[in-house]
Amino acid sequence: MFVDPPAPRPLDPRETPPKGSTDPLSPDAGRSWEFNPEYQRLVTLWQQVLPLLDDLTASLDKALRLARSPDTWDAPVGRRYVEDLTEWRERLQRYRRAVLTAISDEAADTPRWIPVETGAPHAFN
């Protein structure tokens, strides 16, 4: 049995950005942070893809359940059809695992918070 990889965590309204350094000479002193739009894109993608994959799995499971019923088939072609559906279900599971793992891995490598560019003037620009 396959367990889905961890989903990207959406922004919790109670969540606060990271704290900057208290050292006034540090480059992080007084820096503002925003929730990373690239991370949010991965959260949205996960939320869009997961229901579609669940629908595909449910549809294929229903067809497989009906095909395995003794009331449906009583011929050698029935066994082949069940074998084909079983293979398609395994392929769908591998596809699901690949898609969700790709999103999860990308989310793990993407920072949740990024510094805000304030647009303040700097010397020698």
Side-chain angles (χ1 to χ4, degrees):
M1 185 72 186
F2 172 71
V3 177
D4 290 340
R9 290 182 301 122
L11 177 62
D12 184 0
R14 298 178 308 254
E15 188 175 355
T16 59
K19 302 290 184 221
S21 174
T22 56
D23 179 11
L25 299 177
S26 170
D28 287 339
R31 179 172 278 180
S32 298
W33 297 86
E34 71 176 340
F35 195 71
N36 189 347
E38 288 299 313
Y39 191 89
Q40 180 58 45
R41 181 183 61 82
L42 294 168
V43 170
T44 304
L45 182 63
W46 183 281
Q47 293 169 346
Q48 290 172 345
V49 165
L50 192 60
L52 297 174
L53 291 171
D54 287 341
D55 288 347
L56 285 171
T57 302
S59 297
L60 197 55
D61 285 347
K62 181 180 177 183
L64 186 58
R65 192 173 47 256
L66 289 172
R68 286 182 176 155
S69 170
D71 297 335
T72 305
W73 298 102
D74 191 20
V77 70
R79 271 192 305 281
R80 288 194 305 271
Y81 186 69
V82 168
E83 289 170 4
D84 288 346
L85 284 177
T86 303
E87 175 61 30
W88 278 105
R89 188 175 189 299
E90 290 171 6
R91 288 181 185 182
L92 179 59
Q93 288 303 98
R94 286 193 303 265
Y95 178 73
R96 176 188 178 109
R97 185 178 312 126
V99 168
L100 295 181
T101 299
I103 296 170
S104 181
D105 288 351
E106 184 71 22
D109 293 339
T110 304
R112 289 176 53 81
W113 295 92
I114 57 173
V116 175
E117 297 300 326
T118 58
H122 297 286
F124 309 111
N125 276 351

